[in-house]
Amino acid sequence: MTDQLRLMAVHAHPDDESSKGAATMAKYVSEGVDVLVVTCTGGERGSILNPKLQGDSYIEEHIHEVRKKEMDEARDILGVEQEWLGFVDSGLPEGEPLPPLPEGCFALEDEDEAAGRLVRLVRSFRPQVITTYDENGGYPHPDHIMTHKISMIAFDDAANTEKYPEAEFGPAWQPQKLYYNQGFNLPRTVALHEALLARGMESPYEDWLKRWDEFEREPRTLTTHVPCSEFYETRDKALIAHATQIDPEGGWFRVPIDLQKEVWPTEEYELAKSHVDTSLPESDLFAGIRDNA
């Protein structure tokens, strides 16, 4: 009954879908599950992180169009559907003290009004499962935190026709499960780090582990490990499609695929909300749903 299963992945910027849960999505697509990526912003204020493309005047002047084209390519590689919510990237404030967020950006939108756009998509796509970020945004980017906020509102209120009337937002729908992406977790990082050292290889995680407490506010509960290693190549190909953001010779790709498959063949999630019974730990985002699809 997989043709009745639907997964919605809510992300802040183009490229987030390819760095967080991409192999999981490709796995479900291969099984016939309908997968929709919702991208909240156009990534207009994202820095050009690929050193080979820095200083390119065309990219700098047309960053919105360039990132949209990159998203189109990544979408096709993963085999997913994709929708834009149409908000403007807030940028990542830096400095001490932090500067104010730019007027009109996603993070300054009214939360209920912004969630209304997502409610429309939830009601039209009717996902049983939604994935998003935890309350810290995965890392404290204002757009990631705002993505968390509107995802939580939409999950709870897509069935609330008093708050979001059917005439404007479509027929009510209640998703069954909501997960936080937790792919960048300490057990995975330690396992890959130690495996590299044991093989006499250099590890890109040395500094990460030394600084872990700086960007891990609290330990997370990994409830769900989805086996998806056969789609790691697809994941990497989709990530490389975001050429302005990813250097194909950079740190993302320093751990051999074969080693990743052997040492850590899953992507991790934290079950945050569920309206169905399930036993933890899980190996399937649709656990407790498939039998009733």
Side-chain angles (χ1 to χ4, degrees):
M1 303 295 287
T2 52
D3 59 331
Q4 298 181 30
L5 296 178
R6 293 173 296 277
L7 169 66
M8 173 182 283
V10 187
H11 288 285
H13 312 105
D15 78 74
D16 286 325
E17 85 297 326
S18 295
S19 60
K20 303 166 187 68
T24 298
M25 292 191 295
K27 163 193 166 70
Y28 283 125
V29 167
S30 77
E31 295 174 357
V33 175
D34 290 335
V35 179
L36 174 65
V37 169
V38 178
T39 312
C40 293
T41 79
E44 302 90 345
R45 290 191 170 95
S47 301
I48 299 173
L49 301 178
N50 186 342
K52 298 179 179 65
L53 299 180
Q54 290 170 350
D56 186 310
S57 59
Y58 177 85
I59 292 175
E60 292 173 351
E61 293 172 11
H62 301 86
I63 189 64
H64 185 276
E65 293 87 346
V66 170
R67 297 205 70 185
K68 181 181 183 300
K69 184 177 179 181
E70 292 173 347
M71 182 68 245
D72 290 344
E73 184 177 349
R75 176 201 65 211
D76 291 343
I77 291 167
L78 294 173
V80 301
E81 302 174 54
Q82 190 259 342
E83 295 281 354
W84 302 92
L85 278 196
F87 294 108
V88 177
D89 190 342
S90 305
L92 181 61
E94 296 180 306
E96 190 64 44
L98 291 175
L101 292 171
E103 184 177 351
C105 72
F106 178 41
L108 295 181
E109 295 281 348
D110 178 88
E111 292 176 14
D112 286 330
E113 290 184 8
R117 297 193 194 181
L118 185 56
V119 165
R120 286 191 182 92
L121 287 179
V122 170
R123 289 183 176 181
S124 62
F125 184 66
R126 301 187 304 155
Q128 293 97 343
V129 175
I130 294 177
T131 64
T132 189
Y133 313 136
D134 64 31
E135 66 278 6
N136 300 314
Y139 78 107
H141 190 297
D143 287 339
H144 283 239
I145 293 171
M146 187 63 164
T147 297
H148 163 80
K149 291 177 178 178
I150 70 167
S151 297
M152 304 306 283
I153 293 171
F155 181 87
D156 288 336
D157 289 342
N160 184 346
T161 55
E162 291 187 6
K163 184 173 182 180
Y164 297 104
E166 288 193 9
E168 182 179 354
F169 295 91
W173 176 259
Q174 178 59 66
Q176 297 300 294
K177 299 172 84 175
L178 182 141
Y179 289 91
Y180 298 149
N181 295 290
Q182 297 295 356
F184 300 112
N185 58 74
L186 185 57
R188 172 186 180 274
T189 305
V190 169
L192 292 174
H193 173 70
E194 292 181 347
L196 287 165
L197 297 183
R199 289 161 173 77
M201 303 170 69
E202 183 180 353
S203 170
Y205 302 120
E206 189 85 41
D207 290 337
W208 284 31
L209 291 171
K210 289 179 181 177
R211 300 177 52 226
W212 193 268
D213 289 342
E214 296 179 24
F215 49 81
E216 178 89 339
R217 296 188 180 183
E218 61 183 39
R220 306 304 306 196
T221 301
L222 306 179
T223 63
T224 311
H225 300 248
V226 179
C228 54
S229 61
E230 63 187 290
F231 298 97
Y232 283 179
E233 288 91 348
T234 304
R235 172 203 65 191
D236 287 0
K237 186 177 179 182
L239 191 54
I240 289 171
H242 292 283
T244 57
Q245 302 298 296
I246 300 296
D247 180 358
E249 298 176 5
W252 283 99
F253 309 105
R254 289 179 186 164
V255 183
I257 287 283
D258 289 345
L259 185 148
Q260 294 181 51
K261 290 181 176 182
E262 175 188 344
V263 174
W264 204 267
T266 62
E267 290 183 335
E268 285 66 55
Y269 299 84
E270 178 182 352
L271 180 60
K273 288 178 176 284
S274 181
H275 293 293
V276 298
D277 293 331
T278 185
S279 297
L280 301 179
E282 305 169 318
S283 60
D284 180 12
L285 300 182
F286 292 95
I289 294 174
R290 286 184 185 273
D291 292 342
N292 299 312

